[in-house]
Amino acid sequence: MENNLKTVVLDTDDPRLLNNNIFNPDITKKVSHTILPMCFLYKEALKQNINFITPDIYLKSPTKFSNALLVTHVETTFTNILIQSGVRPIILTCQESPLIATRFYTFLIQYTKKFKHSFVFSGMKKMVSKKSIYHQMFFPQPYNIDDFNPKNFDDKKFIAFVSSAKSIKKWWKIILIKILYGFSIKDIYPERQKIIKLLSQKDGFDLYGYGWDKSENLDTSTIQKVYKGIVDDKFETIKNYKFTLCFENTVFPGYVTEKIFDALFAGSVPVYYGAPDIKQFIPDDVFIDVRDFKSYDDVYAYISTMGRQKYDDYIKATENFIKSEKYKIFSQEHYTKLVLEILNKEFNST
């Protein structure tokens, strides 16, 4: 690797993604399709003579990298080592739930003050250090309009839920996050269980994902009725359903993840529960917000009686949205453009 290359370290400590594997789409898709935008970022950066590498490559290399910059997601075991070695911390990002990355959310001021720019969800803005420039994180999506090829109404089954059977067992995490970020913050895992119990009593509901067959919160008879095992390809699975449950991990401002976009591009109408401000970013005619109904029974009554014309209206609105300027803030192209503008400015200032 030549010394004159502009070097950026993309900070990850997932062993599956080290050795520059995070830039290999065949590998990243097996880990999670949500990482694919990093492959796009890598390719676009090379066009501008910017070379991304993983922390292990940087730390093991005998090459002396001059003016290397750091882009970190949350914080890893490598982050402080890289900073101490001379890599300049420029961009910090967060795509994790507060109930997963609780320590990061708790000490956000301390973490963000190390970095010049912070890409975080809108609900985190007040906790970003004054030493860091806040950017609202819009979860970058790897999809493009060619991926949108919905099946016909009559060729689809009723409704699916593809999710692992996670649960937050440490109650103190919820209390701590509520104290720091507001008491409207909510753990949605119990809501998933409630709607599964309801839909398991109806026809046409299929449940997929790791762990549901071993869930301690759902009885065996419920699971036996609806559980279909794990899936090799979530996108291809939910294309076969009229509706897809899209329940985030947490109710948190700005926390809009890949879940609703997976459904939208698959041509399956999302039944959504998550970010309280989602309608600021995504039109309400492309998804069904469970909070618009008094109960899950009312949600079921609405979707189970929906005719083809009304359903096709949702699909047409979805197509219009993903072709619009409003969607672009969630695209990997938009995210890449912002990141590369920041990095080029840093390189050019030295």
Side-chain angles (χ1 to χ4, degrees):
M1 199 172 294
E2 299 179 8
N3 288 336
N4 62 353
L5 281 175
K6 295 179 284 188
T7 302
V8 177
V9 182
L10 186 61
D11 187 11
T12 178
D13 57 1
D14 186 327
R16 299 169 295 179
L17 300 175
L18 295 174
N19 196 34
N20 282 354
N21 286 337
I22 195 171
F23 309 120
N24 183 331
D26 293 331
I27 294 175
T28 56
K29 191 171 184 180
K30 291 178 181 178
V31 176
S32 174
H33 70 288
T34 62
I35 310 171
L36 285 172
M38 297 305 101
C39 300
F40 182 82
L41 173 62
Y42 173 77
K43 290 193 299 182
E44 293 302 304
L46 283 176
K47 296 176 184 177
Q48 301 183 27
N49 199 34
I50 296 174
N51 188 56
F52 276 81
I53 58 175
T54 51
D56 57 314
I57 298 294
Y58 177 85
L59 294 171
K60 291 178 183 177
S61 176
T63 303
K64 298 297 182 182
F65 297 93
S66 61
N67 194 30
L69 306 182
L70 179 63
V71 176
T72 291
H73 177 243
V74 187
E75 186 178 68
T76 79
T77 55
F78 290 113
T79 306
N80 288 327
I81 297 172
L82 290 165
I83 293 173
Q84 291 167 7
S85 72
V87 186
R88 286 199 291 137
I90 303 301
I91 297 175
L92 178 66
T93 69
C94 178
Q95 293 175 236
E96 288 286 1
S97 155
L99 301 184
I100 300 298
T102 306
R103 178 179 174 80
F104 181 78
Y105 277 74
T106 302
F107 298 102
L108 187 62
I109 293 177
Q110 290 91 323
Y111 288 128
T112 54
K113 73 179 181 180
K114 302 175 186 178
F115 289 81
K116 198 163 185 179
H117 299 265
S118 295
F119 284 72
V120 296
F121 299 117
S122 58
M124 304 166 75
K125 182 177 181 180
K126 67 178 183 179
M127 296 287 280
V128 172
S129 169
K130 300 299 182 184
K131 295 182 178 180
S132 186
I133 300 170
Y134 162 79
H135 304 261
Q136 183 167 351
M137 169 57 78
F138 294 102
F139 214 105
Q141 302 301 312
Y143 298 113
N144 60 63
I145 189 59
D146 293 335
D147 295 313
F148 182 72
N149 185 26
K151 291 188 174 182
N152 290 326
F153 180 87
D154 293 330
D155 295 331
K156 296 178 184 178
K157 293 183 278 187
F158 180 41
I159 186 168
F161 189 21
V162 182
S163 175
S164 58
K166 298 176 182 177
S167 63
I168 301 299
K169 297 181 179 180
K170 296 181 179 179
W171 59 268
W172 61 265
K173 286 188 173 187
I174 300 171
I175 298 300
L176 180 59
I177 292 299
K178 284 178 176 288
I179 291 171
L180 292 172
Y181 290 93
F183 283 85
S184 63
I185 310 305
K186 182 178 180 179
D187 174 19
I188 300 184
Y189 290 119
E191 299 302 320
R192 295 179 178 183
Q193 295 159 14
K194 290 178 185 177
I195 200 164
I196 288 171
K197 288 178 181 178
L198 170 69
L199 291 175
S200 69
Q201 301 169 24
K202 313 294 183 181
D203 293 329
F205 171 57
D206 291 334
L207 174 65
Y208 300 90
Y210 288 101
W212 291 111
D213 53 335
K214 299 176 182 177
S215 174
E216 299 174 357
N217 299 305
L218 293 170
D219 60 71
T220 303
S221 61
T222 296
I223 294 300
Q224 288 177 341
K225 290 178 184 177
V226 298
Y227 185 55
K228 305 300 180 183
I230 60 175
V231 298
D232 293 326
D233 191 317
K234 177 183 178 182
F235 185 78
E236 291 301 320
T237 298
I238 62 179
K239 282 182 72 172
N240 297 308
Y241 292 86
K242 294 181 177 72
F243 303 97
T244 297
L245 293 180
C246 301
F247 280 37
E248 305 285 14
N249 299 330
T250 315
V251 171
F252 191 85
Y255 181 64
V256 180
T257 70
E258 81 288 351
K259 295 175 178 63
I260 191 169
F261 294 102
D262 290 343
L264 290 173
F265 277 90
S268 181
V269 176
V271 178
Y272 183 82
Y273 193 169
D277 52 353
I278 188 171
K279 292 177 184 178
Q280 294 181 25
F281 318 115
I282 299 179
D284 61 3
D285 58 354
V286 306
F287 70 98
I288 297 160
D289 193 332
V290 300
R291 286 166 296 193
D292 291 340
F293 299 83
K294 292 181 179 179
S295 68
Y296 289 134
D297 284 300
D298 289 345
V299 174
Y300 174 77
Y302 179 72
I303 62 176
S304 64
T305 59
M306 186 180 296
R308 179 166 189 163
Q309 183 58 57
K310 179 62 176 176
Y311 184 85
D312 286 346
D313 288 344
Y314 276 102
I315 299 302
K316 183 59 180 177
T318 296
E319 182 178 11
N320 291 338
F321 168 57
I322 62 181
K323 287 180 177 179
S324 72
E325 289 295 318
K326 194 166 187 177
Y327 166 71
K328 288 184 178 179
I329 60 173
F330 289 99
S331 68
Q332 61 184 2
E333 290 81 5
H334 177 77
Y335 178 76
T336 292
K337 180 175 180 290
L338 293 179
V339 169
L340 292 182
E341 284 177 353
I342 291 171
L343 295 177
N344 274 311
K345 185 176 181 179
E346 290 299 322
F347 282 124
N348 293 335
S349 66
T350 57

